[in-house]
Amino acid sequence: MNLPFLLIPVRAVCKYTVHERCARKAPLSCISTYAKSRRDTSVQAHVWVRGGCDGSKCDRCQKKIKSFQSLTGMHCAWCHQKERQNSQKNGVCGTPSEEPVQPFTTPEGQALRVSLGVLRKFQYLLNPRQVYNLMKGGPGPGLNFFRDIPDFRILVCGGDGTVGWILDAIDKANLPSRPPVAVLPLGTGNDLARCLRWGGGYDGESLGKIMKDIEASSILQMDRWSVQVIPDNPDEKGDPVPYEIINNYFSIGVCCGQTLDLSGALSGVAILNIPSMHGGSNLWGETKRPLGEAAARTTAGGAVQPQVITDAETLKNCIQDLSDRRMEVVGLEGVIEMGQIYTGLKSAGKRLAKCSEITLRTLKHLPMQIDGEPWMQAPCTIKITHKNQAPMLMAPPPRSSSFFGLKKGPQEA
């Protein structure tokens, strides 16, 4: 005997649930994700839905909307504007931001349930055609769909690897103008998100607030570096190099989980582009000024930094910056020192150099790492050069809950 069943389609955006036979009779109150003709593509009309105002003020006349079980007033399902029953007009819909935001999500980044919840919430807050699941086709379709939209911004929902994937896709897309990128940290280390003030992880914060923070964010040009690994013996088989671009850091030795005898007391070398590694360790030390400012491209005494700095006394006054076209080279004594820096028992590693180009030569198999991805490398020559700068969105500084004003973040301390 066949077991009877009933198909009940559920809209992923508005959660409107109907029988299959009732779908054609459902009210047309959901957000429209397309235009019926080319003449309609330049403006977005309001999509008025009754109720849901909960005693708010009318955005047109500023009078209070009388609330009766959330059934009074009208709100726009697209821009969330709220107005009294008789004051709404069929004007042009003003989206929450004048510059459209395009979120890219990876449902396997942190936890599948959390990531899918973020994906569905963004589909409700924004036009669903602005939200792209990277596990279904990658970033290409979204970038091509928005390539002719001026001044759009990208929100990457994932970890450092996902951010690097998007930045690499933007390089290959040849867009008319390069869109700035914000990060919602859903990965493991989230080092880049920490440096840009988006935090070390997502703890269920309101996505509406995050959208407002994106509106108030500032653009920072982040350096990116090309890495070329040339093996001494091309016929020798080894692990593949995971990336050809460095966004965060490159390391050899103890930074990769294995202690080596490099020179003297050093057991590892890290080449840094950002002041965070392995989930928050600042190997270079405290930054004295906010990142991204022109003043940070000089030494503490005001002199312009040369292309290469190796003098120990000069290095003490050098300021780390994401936009100065320089890399910082740090030496580490061992695994214990890495733990001391992470916990705050030690301020930094040994500053070795600050430079705009690096060539490394290795004589034996060594563990290496690029942006958290490790591999074992045979003897080789490694060349690191400046590739380009990518516009990134720096979140506004967090506000203190105290009466006396702003709380300084780590970049402003």
Side-chain angles (χ1 to χ4, degrees):
M1 178 179 178
N2 293 330
L3 189 68
F5 61 91
L6 181 67
L7 294 177
I8 304 180
V10 179
R11 287 297 309 273
V13 179
C14 65
K15 307 296 189 301
Y16 190 80
T17 306
V18 294
H19 293 94
E20 187 174 14
R21 62 179 179 271
C22 299
R24 294 182 180 180
K25 301 178 182 179
L28 300 175
S29 58
C30 194
I31 298 175
S32 174
T33 65
Y34 61 91
K36 294 182 179 179
S37 67
R38 291 185 178 273
R39 291 178 298 177
D40 299 333
T41 57
S42 59
V43 296
Q44 169 69 45
H46 287 295
V47 181
W48 294 111
V49 180
R50 187 182 302 277
C53 295
D54 295 327
S56 304
K57 286 187 178 180
C58 176
D59 291 322
R60 184 175 298 275
C61 67
Q62 299 302 313
K63 293 182 180 180
K64 186 176 181 179
I65 301 174
K66 295 181 180 180
S67 178
F68 177 73
Q69 298 180 350
S70 294
L71 297 178
T72 56
M74 305 286 285
H75 75 276
C76 177
W78 176 219
C79 70
H80 306 290
Q81 180 173 324
K82 298 177 182 179
E83 297 191 0
R84 292 190 304 150
Q85 198 79 20
N86 298 321
S87 62
Q88 74 276 2
K89 297 180 180 179
N90 293 325
V92 176
C93 180
T95 58
S97 171
E98 293 182 0
E99 299 177 358
V101 177
Q102 181 184 13
F104 285 105
T105 64
T106 49
E108 298 180 1
Q110 181 185 37
L112 183 61
R113 184 176 61 180
V114 174
S115 300
L116 285 176
V118 171
L119 174 68
R120 289 167 180 164
K121 184 64 174 178
F122 272 127
Q123 288 176 328
Y124 165 74
L125 291 174
L126 302 170
N127 190 318
R129 292 180 185 266
Q130 289 179 253
V131 186
Y132 287 84
N133 183 348
L134 292 174
M135 306 309 295
K136 298 181 179 179
L143 294 175
N144 291 329
F145 189 80
F146 278 81
R147 65 177 300 112
D148 296 326
I149 304 297
D151 301 325
F152 76 94
R153 291 167 290 182
I154 291 176
L155 174 61
V156 179
C157 306
D160 293 333
T162 306
V163 176
W165 183 14
I166 296 297
L167 295 179
D168 187 46
I170 294 174
D171 287 338
K172 298 175 181 178
N174 295 319
L175 301 176
S177 61
R178 192 175 184 113
V181 177
V183 185
L184 180 64
L186 297 180
T188 305
N190 300 314
D191 289 299
L192 183 56
R194 295 172 191 270
C195 298
L196 298 175
R197 296 201 197 106
W198 297 109
Y202 176 67
D203 56 1
E205 186 180 6
S206 168
L207 297 183
K209 180 183 181 300
I210 292 174
M211 296 295 293
K212 292 181 180 178
D213 287 342
I214 292 177
E215 290 187 54
S217 61
S218 57
I219 295 179
L220 179 148
Q221 298 293 334
M222 183 185 74
D223 293 321
R224 302 174 71 229
W225 304 86
S226 297
V227 56
Q228 184 180 12
V229 179
I230 307 172
D232 292 349
N233 183 6
D235 297 329
E236 184 175 2
K237 294 183 179 180
D239 297 338
V241 180
Y243 302 127
E244 297 179 351
I245 299 173
I246 300 172
N247 294 310
N248 297 357
Y249 57 84
F250 170 85
S251 62
I252 302 176
V254 69
C255 312
C256 308
Q258 181 175 340
T259 302
L260 301 169
D261 183 14
L262 294 178
S263 62
L266 297 182
S267 297
V269 173
I271 299 171
L272 309 175
N273 187 46
I274 64 174
S276 180
M277 182 175 177
H278 297 322
S281 296
N282 186 352
L283 304 186
W284 184 257
E286 287 295 325
T287 302
K288 301 301 180 182
R289 303 179 190 177
L291 297 174
E293 291 192 357
R297 300 173 189 175
T298 65
T299 62
V304 177
Q305 292 180 1
Q307 292 289 94
V308 179
I309 302 174
T310 56
D311 179 69
E313 291 299 319
T314 305
L315 288 172
K316 290 180 180 179
N317 298 322
C318 287
I319 301 165
Q320 194 175 13
D321 180 31
L322 275 70
S323 335
D324 61 354
R325 300 175 185 267
R326 304 285 193 278
M327 295 173 288
E328 290 76 31
V329 184
V330 179
L332 295 164
E333 297 176 358
V335 177
I336 295 178
E337 185 182 31
M338 283 284 295
Q340 290 173 334
I341 295 173
Y342 182 80
T343 57
L345 297 177
K346 190 171 182 179
S347 60
K350 182 179 179 180
R351 297 185 179 187
L352 299 179
K354 188 177 177 72
C355 52
S356 57
E357 185 175 327
I358 295 179
T359 300
L360 302 170
R361 293 182 177 88
T362 63
L363 303 178
K364 61 181 181 179
H365 286 74
L366 294 174
M368 301 183 184
Q369 192 176 102
I370 295 178
D371 292 354
E373 293 293 330
W375 82 99
M376 185 63 72
Q377 179 61 48
C380 66
T381 298
I382 302 168
K383 296 182 179 180
I384 302 176
T385 56
H386 191 267
K387 176 180 174 61
N388 60 16
Q389 288 188 323
M392 306 297 293
L393 291 174
M394 173 82 80
R399 288 189 172 274
S400 171
S401 58
S402 67
F403 175 77
F404 294 100
L406 295 176
K407 175 183 178 182
K408 290 186 177 181
Q411 285 80 14
E412 300 176 300

